[in-house]
Amino acid sequence: MTDDQPVPSSEGPAPRTYRWLPRLTLPGCWGALLLACLSFTPSLLPRGGVLQGLVCGISAAIGYGLGLVAAFVWRAFADRDARTPSRRSWLVLAVGAVVLFGIAFGLGQYWQHEIRRLMGVTDHNVLTVVACPFVAALVFLLLLMAGRGLRALYHWAAGLLGRWIGRRAARVVGWILVVGLAWAAFSGLLLSGFVNAANEAFSLRDTETPEGVHQPTSSLRSGGPGSLVPWDSLGREGRAFTGKGPTAQEIGAFTHRTAQEPVRAYAGLETSDSTETRAERAVADLERAGGFERENLLVMTTTGSGWVDPAAVDSFEYLGNGDSASVAIQYSYLPSWMSYLVDQSKAREAGRDLFDAVYDKWSKLPQNQRPRLFVAGESLGSFGGETAFSGEYDLRNRTAGTLFAGPPNFNTLFREFSDDRDPGSPEIEPVFRDGRTVRFTDDPAAAMPPADRPWDGTRVLYLMHPSDPIVWWSPRLALSEPDWIGEAPGSDVLGAMVWIPFVTFWQVTADLPFSTGVPDGHGHTYKAAYVDAWNAVMRPDGFTAQDLDRLRNIVSPPQ
């Protein structure tokens, strides 16, 4: 994004009328225009005008830098110096910018309309659409000035070093110093400062109790009478987890049988200083409440802030007729998408330590008195949940079933199962070793491929929507096309989506914070799907298709 040129005239100033603008190069402007137009191509989720402006501005800045590099390489092969562009060249650029940007902007609005239609999104702000070009221009100029600031710093450093060492060495060392300083400032000051500030802000939020949540009066819940974990130490999401959930009467009304009150155990960050002792406290409270005496036991790895999707646990408890117990722990204050970027190690420790603590107690019970042991996690929770296992056989041998929803692309086992999928199966719904243990689906109510193959013993199921950016985001998107884009698109992804170097990466990156802001069944929103997913994994008796339809309306009421 810098535009260092060997000849001062290479800056190619625009006509004097426009000298109040930053001085730009013609090749850089063409590169910026090209990538800015391509940024309007569709990605996974609908984008508002401000977000589109951000993506457009970043893409334009990258395009400007690529234009400079392309012009430099061409001049090197042509063995000629840079020339000052003529007024006609700038006029052609201006006309091309108006025409091409206008076409791209119009097509972009059409594609966004089609994505909203696919997902049933009705919210649309026309004012932000109008603001899009202005946001893009502002972001582009800020990035351009930042790049030029780094160039100026490089020239200063190289000039200073040139007093003591050779000119070529001074240039190399100058670039190394500037790049190192920029990276240190970003990672050590900006990024670290942002994370610390966010952690402080969300730690204050963690002291709150969600509206409608009250301290449990049942001894079967952490924070209730006789609990080994104080109510105040559970954190916001822990209090929501143990203070809510279906009662025995509500479960019985659904199953038409005499139901039990489910057990829920939890430990928050304030419960203990270390992940290991926090897991031990949660498991001790689970044992106190009789969790190991239930038929079904669920080890749930939370998202960053300690959140557990109510639909995941509620569905488990309804289908188990309340003869169930669930345990979870908190490992961060940050929300899921931020923990996804900076708290991966904490999720890994939480998933491993909690399962190991549960398994240690469970494995010492007589075989005929052990509950069926299940594992689940959503988003970063699936990443943490996976870390307790070495592979397919470990999942099969140590659990009765596993359900992971919205797995991040960097999940070790998810990537192993997906990358080693059977030939001919698509990445959005891979088949791993004939589906004997592990299967993938975006619609668990339908037959999960391979439908013609047996699925005996332990079942491991991954829920993943084709439009979920958490599942598909990867740094590799910047320079290499993934299979899921080159293959036939999923049911809620536009066929017009194509892979474009750098652009697609920023588009999917921009989708991440908004991945849960779409209707259920799309993006990173998994609610009603938990009913059929748990029905497939648990295989309970006595539930009809009509029963499952009623339960979907209970755990995910229609809006």
Side-chain angles (χ1 to χ4, degrees), residues 283 286 292 296-302 316 325-328 350-359 372-377 381 385 388-389 401 403-404 534:
V283 172
L286 174 71
F292 288 95
N296 302 301
L297 174 56
L298 174 61
V299 180
M300 191 84 188
T301 306
T302 67
F316 182 82
S326 305
V327 59
R352 181 181 60 246
D353 290 349
L354 180 59
F355 181 82
D356 287 349
V358 171
Y359 191 80
R372 295 198 300 166
L373 184 58
F374 295 90
V375 173
F389 305 94
L403 177 57
F404 291 137
W534 275 125

Side-chain angles (χ1 to χ4, degrees), residues 451-519:
D452 60 339
R453 306 293 295 178
W455 198 13
D456 302 323
T458 295
R459 293 184 172 185
V460 177
L461 180 60
Y462 282 87
L463 283 177
M464 43 191 242
H465 295 146
S467 59
D468 187 351
I470 298 291
V471 175
W472 308 117
W473 182 88
S474 167
R476 294 188 299 272
L477 275 173
L479 296 174
S480 60
E481 180 181 6
D483 292 343
W484 61 270
I485 292 183
E487 298 166 347
S491 58
D492 58 353
V493 175
L494 281 187
M497 182 178 180
V498 295
W499 176 77
I500 303 169
F502 300 107
V503 174
T504 302
F505 170 78
W506 288 114
Q507 287 177 328
V508 178
T509 300
D511 287 336
L512 291 176
F514 307 96
S515 58
T516 59
V518 291

Side-chain angles (χ1 to χ4, degrees), residues 289-536:
F292 288 95
E293 300 168 12
R294 298 303 179 98
E295 180 182 357
N296 302 301
L297 174 56
L298 174 61
V299 180
M300 191 84 188
T301 306
T302 67
T303 62
S305 61
W307 180 74
V308 175
D309 192 334
V313 181
D314 291 357
S315 300
F316 182 82
E317 293 171 343
Y318 273 108
L319 293 174
N321 197 38
D323 193 5
S324 61
S326 305
V327 59
I329 62 173
Q330 181 186 15
Y331 56 84
S332 176
Y333 293 121
L334 301 177
S336 182
W337 71 270
M338 291 183 64
S339 297
Y340 171 75
L341 298 175
V342 300
D343 269 353
Q344 295 179 23
S345 61
K346 294 181 181 179
R348 184 184 296 111
E349 292 175 4
R352 181 181 60 246
D353 290 349
L354 180 59
F355 181 82
D356 287 349
V358 171
Y359 191 80
D360 181 61
K361 295 283 185 182
W362 179 88
S363 61
K364 293 175 181 176
L365 296 173
Q367 288 193 4
N368 61 349
Q369 296 180 22
R370 295 174 182 172
R372 295 198 300 166
L373 184 58
F374 295 90
V375 173
E378 180 175 324
S379 189
L380 201 57
S382 72
F383 170 75
E386 277 191 0
T387 58
F389 305 94
S390 60
E392 175 195 9
Y393 284 111
D394 200 19
L395 283 164
R396 187 182 185 93
N397 293 335
R398 293 206 290 162
T399 73
T402 301
L403 177 57
F404 291 137
N409 197 263
F410 54 72
N411 276 23
T412 303
L413 297 185
F414 170 64
R415 282 265 47 95
E416 176 185 323
F417 299 148
S418 181
D419 292 343
D420 295 339
R421 62 187 180 275
D422 295 349
S425 65
E427 189 173 14
I428 62 170
E429 201 169 36
V431 174
F432 178 73
R433 297 181 182 175
D434 290 329
R436 62 189 183 189
T437 302
V438 182
R439 297 201 177 186
F440 303 80
T441 186
D442 72 319
D443 183 9
M448 285 167 272
D452 60 339
R453 306 293 295 178
W455 198 13
D456 302 323
T458 295
R459 293 184 172 185
V460 177
L461 180 60
Y462 282 87
L463 283 177
M464 43 191 242
H465 295 146
S467 59
D468 187 351
I470 298 291
V471 175
W472 308 117
W473 182 88
S474 167
R476 294 188 299 272
L477 275 173
L479 296 174
S480 60
E481 180 181 6
D483 292 343
W484 61 270
I485 292 183
E487 298 166 347
S491 58
D492 58 353
V493 175
L494 281 187
M497 182 178 180
V498 295
W499 176 77
I500 303 169
F502 300 107
V503 174
T504 302
F505 170 78
W506 288 114
Q507 287 177 328
V508 178
T509 300
D511 287 336
L512 291 176
F514 307 96
S515 58
T516 59
V518 291
D520 188 18
H522 304 285
H524 198 59
T525 306
Y526 301 87
K527 294 188 181 299
Y530 275 116
V531 172
D532 295 286
W534 275 125
N535 184 60

Side-chain angles (χ1 to χ4, degrees), residues 17-31:
T17 306
Y18 302 101
R19 287 298 297 273
W20 59 272
L21 291 171
R23 301 177 69 178
L24 305 172
T25 66
L26 189 65
C29 288
W30 276 112

Side-chain angles (χ1 to χ4, degrees), residues 520-557:
D520 188 18
H522 304 285
H524 198 59
T525 306
Y526 301 87
K527 294 188 181 299
Y530 275 116
V531 172
D532 295 286
W534 275 125
N535 184 60
V537 173
M538 296 174 70
R539 288 169 283 184
D541 296 325
F543 294 109
T544 65
Q546 290 74 21
D547 292 330
L548 297 178
D549 189 54
R550 285 195 299 119
L551 184 54
R552 282 193 291 270
N553 290 328
I554 292 174
V555 301
S556 181

Side-chain angles (χ1 to χ4, degrees), residues 3 5 7-27 29 64 82-91 93 148:
D3 50 358
Q5 300 292 340
V7 180
S9 62
S10 66
E11 287 294 325
R16 190 174 299 275
T17 306
Y18 302 101
R19 287 298 297 273
W20 59 272
L21 291 171
R23 301 177 69 178
L24 305 172
T25 66
L26 189 65
C29 288
Y64 187 85
R83 300 174 183 173
T84 301
S86 65
R87 289 178 178 271
R88 177 178 295 180
S89 298
W90 286 108
L91 180 61
L93 172 66
R148 290 184 172 178

